[in-house]
Amino acid sequence: MDKPSSRRLDRVLVGDCVALMAGMPEGPVDMVFADPPYNLQLQNDLKRPDDSRVDAVADDWDKFASFSAYDDFTRAWLYACRRVLKPNGALWVIGSYHNIYRVGAILQDLGFWILNDVVWRKSNPMPNFRGTRFTNAHETMIWATRDRKQKSYTFNYEAMKAMNDELQMRSDWLIPLCTGAERVKRGGKKAHPTQKPEALLYRAILAATRPGELVLDPFFGSGTTGAVARKPGRDWLPIEREGDDVEAAGDRIRRATPSAAAALATPAQRDEPRSPIRAVLEREDSPAARPSTGAALGVSAVGAATSVNAARAAATRSDSQSRRSRRRSVRSSAAA
């Protein structure tokens, strides 16, 4: 099979990813980025308080008869991905609490070795309209090598540090949901319900590949992987079975042009909004906020412990001195 080139902007392999990967030679792929069905198990429409319908994932491709059926599907595509990865290749897979734990266990069973789990923190998450749970404000990505014994893999540490104000890139990434002009639409509506933001893909691809390397996406969807891979000069191999998604992704890739790095800028850690509790704790821990004496709050925990220990030591010395004094008194009386 010829290695695809990023110049073939409209080439999407159409069909089942497991079958298509089975027809590829072993080991041509440097990185896999997979955004598989989440198996959300939605039974009814989601409604807002005003009774309007939430545009959630209700497509047939996200429906499985059982957890066992989903596990079989997951095992099949992960096995196929591992087969086409180079010996030093890596896998990135994203999911929610509905599926990521099952995916993680299966990929470990197949021999992948997890390097990190990365939390995508959404700065603009969809609220929990019923108020029955916490707002679901994150998704989890697993970054894994093909094999536990793998001696080398790509990690562009300095590039990640440069994106983060020269601080080490952490494993929690604050990036907003895909909205506005970036959102691919068809007929005025979202073309794909789970389109990922370009900044998320850009960071993962830039972290784990070099220019000219090949990124495979077995669930191409709206085409974010291809649109992003072109910007830093990576090749991509997209697979998608849904006809409408293939059309939307093809149009998007044909329109994609390399962008300035500023167009894909992501927030640095120091620019993230602080939660009130963090700000309160930091203020209370600052030297200016510490009481000069223990009068207002008694004493600090450390000060209290020190005072207690000092008191105990003084009492011990006093008792010892009293015992010595009594012994001397007894000896003097005896001598008399």
Side-chain angles (χ1 to χ4, degrees), residues 311-327:
R312 288 173 177 168
T316 300
R317 287 196 299 272
S318 178
D319 290 344
S320 178
Q321 290 170 354
S322 296
R323 285 195 296 273
R324 285 197 297 271
S325 178
R326 286 196 296 270
R327 285 197 295 270

Side-chain angles (χ1 to χ4, degrees), residues 58-114:
D59 303 85
D60 289 340
W61 51 258
D62 194 58
K63 297 176 181 177
F64 294 83
S66 64
F67 285 129
S68 178
Y70 184 79
D71 291 348
D72 290 343
F73 162 77
T74 300
R75 191 173 293 104
W77 72 258
L78 280 171
Y79 177 85
C81 286
R82 190 168 185 269
R83 178 183 165 276
V84 299
L85 274 171
K86 289 180 178 178
N88 64 341
L91 166 79
W92 287 74
V93 56
I94 187 169
S96 69
Y97 68 89
H98 302 87
N99 72 323
I100 196 64
Y101 302 107
R102 308 186 80 85
V103 171
I106 292 170
L107 68 84
Q108 287 181 308
D109 289 343
L110 291 175
F112 287 96
W113 184 251
I114 296 177

Side-chain angles (χ1 to χ4, degrees), residues 232-249:
R234 274 62 167 175
D235 292 336
W236 71 90
L237 178 56
I239 302 175
E240 179 55 54
R241 73 177 190 182
E242 302 295 324
D244 289 342
D245 289 338
V246 170
E247 182 179 352

Side-chain angles (χ1 to χ4, degrees), residues 83 171 204 214:
R83 178 183 165 276
S171 61
L214 179 62

Side-chain angles (χ1 to χ4, degrees), residues 11-272:
R11 179 67 183 274
V12 179
L13 301 182
V14 182
D16 177 76
C17 66
V18 175
L20 288 171
M21 285 189 283
M24 299 178 188
E26 294 186 17
V29 174
D30 297 285
M31 170 182 156
V32 172
F33 185 92
D35 183 8
Y38 285 8
N39 191 26
L40 297 181
Q41 309 141 57
L42 297 178
Q43 303 299 320
N44 301 298
D45 289 342
L46 296 179
K47 298 291 187 67
R48 298 183 178 88
D50 62 2
D51 207 40
S52 60
R53 181 177 176 274
V54 177
D55 188 13
V57 181
D59 303 85
D60 289 340
W61 51 258
D62 194 58
K63 297 176 181 177
F64 294 83
S66 64
F67 285 129
S68 178
Y70 184 79
D71 291 348
D72 290 343
F73 162 77
T74 300
R75 191 173 293 104
W77 72 258
L78 280 171
Y79 177 85
C81 286
R82 190 168 185 269
R83 178 183 165 276
V84 299
L85 274 171
K86 289 180 178 178
N88 64 341
L91 166 79
W92 287 74
V93 56
I94 187 169
S96 69
Y97 68 89
H98 302 87
N99 72 323
I100 196 64
Y101 302 107
R102 308 186 80 85
V103 171
I106 292 170
L107 68 84
Q108 287 181 308
D109 289 343
L110 291 175
F112 287 96
W113 184 251
I114 296 177
L115 298 172
N116 276 116
D117 63 335
V118 176
V119 176
W120 167 31
R121 295 166 50 208
K122 304 171 185 178
S123 59
N124 56 340
M126 181 184 295
N128 184 274
F129 293 107
R130 294 182 179 273
T132 56
R133 304 183 187 184
F134 295 111
T135 296
N136 186 21
H138 77 278
E139 293 182 30
T140 301
M141 293 190 293
I142 295 174
W143 174 35
T145 56
R146 185 183 182 279
D147 192 278
R148 178 175 184 172
K149 298 179 181 180
Q150 191 169 316
K151 294 183 178 180
S152 66
Y153 57 88
T154 297
F155 178 51
N156 295 314
Y157 170 80
E158 293 299 335
M160 293 295 97
K161 193 174 179 181
M163 292 178 68
N164 198 44
D165 280 356
E166 296 304 321
L167 299 173
Q168 285 191 343
M169 183 69 77
R170 301 188 339 183
S171 61
D172 57 327
W173 299 354
L174 183 68
I175 297 172
L177 287 168
C178 180
T179 59
E182 185 182 333
R183 170 67 74 173
V184 178
K185 295 183 179 181
R186 185 170 50 241
K189 297 183 179 181
K190 293 188 295 186
H192 196 283
T194 64
Q195 181 181 337
K196 297 301 184 289
E198 292 193 3
L200 186 73
L201 272 292
Y202 184 79
R203 194 178 290 192
I205 291 172
L206 191 65
T209 61
R210 297 183 177 91
E213 291 189 337
L214 179 62
V215 181
L216 168 69
D217 187 337
F219 309 100
F220 198 51
S222 60
T224 302
T225 301
V228 171
R230 188 174 181 226
K231 300 175 191 292
R234 274 62 167 175
D235 292 336
W236 71 90
L237 178 56
I239 302 175
E240 179 55 54
R241 73 177 190 182
E242 302 295 324
D244 289 342
D245 289 338
V246 170
E247 182 179 352
D251 291 342
R252 180 183 186 187
I253 297 302
R254 283 188 288 271
R255 292 194 304 269
T257 55
S259 306
L264 290 169
T266 54
Q269 301 289 346
R270 66 182 62 177
D271 296 330
E272 296 180 7

